[in-house]
Structure formats: structure tokens, C-alpha cells
Amino acid sequence: MAKSETKTKPTEIKVADFLNALDNEQKKQDAFRLVAILKEITGCDPYLWGSSIVGFGNYHYKYDSGHEGDAPVLAFSPRKAEFSLYIYSQSSNSEPLLEKLGKFKMGKACIYVKKLADIDEAVLREIATNTIRYIADTYERTA
């Protein structure tokens, strides 16, 4: 099977410029808080993937289907209605933490929250740490 091209890739756009352009002050404050949290957890500087995903670190994945590519280890996107948090892996360690997280919706690959005040930051950190561990055990980490 031919290698398919990943659509979302790292860009040269500065994360601070992207976040400072947000028109909602609370969303902007929450976004900068998420940058601080995820940078601390990953030890990686943020960079913009595509037009709206703030990513930290990088790993290479390859599925049984043959699809492969690179993705940030942890990421978020400050969407208009809510934040998309790409911090969750379906591991046995992470699943029970969702009950303690707070007010959110679960998507296929991410957690949706309207604002950081709706969730428990300590639980968010635990989920993110478990995801880093899962990725390290499952995939090739490239940065």
C-alpha cells in the first residue's frame, strides 16, 4: 500500500501570534495557560500544526492499514465553540480519569471543553502524562 500524505503538518507560524489573534479574551487566557501546562509536561516548545493546532513534541505512527505519518505528542486547538484537547489515549490508566476530569464532551480522538475552569487541571495533567507514556510505549518518538 502506498504511503498516504498527512494533511496537517507543522508550520512556521508563531504560536504566540496565532493565540494573540484570538478575539475572545477568556479563550486567549486559557490557550496561553494550556501552552504553559503542556510545555511543562512535554518539555517541548509549542509549534503550530496546520492553521489551528498547537502541538508539543512529535512522533511517528503507522497503523495496520499501512497509513502512517507524524503527529504532535500532545496538542490543542482553540476552536470557536470550545477547545479540542488532543491529550487522550485510550489506555487502561487514562479511562478512569475521565470520571474525575469535570465538564467535557468526548470525541473520537479528543476531549472538548468550553473553558479550563470547567475541568480539573491536576486530572488533565495526569491524562496528558499517561498519553505521553502510551505514545512512548507504542510509537516511535521523533522529538
Side-chain angles (χ1 to χ4, degrees):
M1 175 175 252
K3 183 178 173 183
S4 59
E5 191 69 25
T6 304
K7 294 177 186 173
T8 306
K9 297 179 180 184
T11 69
E12 296 296 320
I13 299 168
K14 292 185 173 147
V15 170
D17 292 344
F18 167 69
L19 297 179
N20 279 320
L22 295 172
D23 59 5
N24 178 304
E25 194 57 39
Q26 183 61 55
K27 189 167 293 283
K28 188 185 301 186
Q29 288 176 13
D30 284 353
F32 277 106
R33 180 68 187 139
L34 279 170
V35 166
I37 292 168
L38 299 181
K39 182 176 180 178
E40 178 186 328
I41 292 169
T42 62
C44 299
D45 289 325
Y47 49 96
L48 202 65
W49 283 70
S51 62
S52 64
I53 297 175
V54 179
F56 300 80
N58 190 9
Y59 73 98
H60 186 79
Y61 62 86
K62 184 172 184 177
Y63 300 135
D64 292 339
S65 66
H67 177 76
E68 65 182 281
D70 295 309
V73 173
L74 299 178
F76 74 90
S77 182
R79 309 274 186 211
K80 188 172 185 102
E82 55 206 355
F83 283 94
S84 297
L85 304 176
Y86 305 97
I87 63 158
Y88 181 76
S89 62
Q90 292 182 332
S91 70
S92 58
N93 294 336
S94 295
E95 210 164 301
L97 293 171
L98 290 176
E99 294 174 18
K100 302 180 204 173
L101 183 57
K103 187 176 174 182
F104 70 96
K105 288 189 257 174
M106 193 73 202
K108 211 175 201 186
C110 62
I111 295 170
Y112 299 104
V113 298
K114 291 196 182 286
K115 57 187 182 228
L116 282 186
D118 289 342
I119 59 173
D120 185 317
E121 186 179 307
V123 175
L124 175 82
R125 288 172 177 272
E126 277 188 80
I127 290 170
T129 301
N130 285 340
T131 296
I132 291 170
R133 201 171 300 120
Y134 173 81
I135 288 171
D137 291 345
T138 309
Y139 301 103
E140 175 186 335
R141 180 125 182 228
T142 55

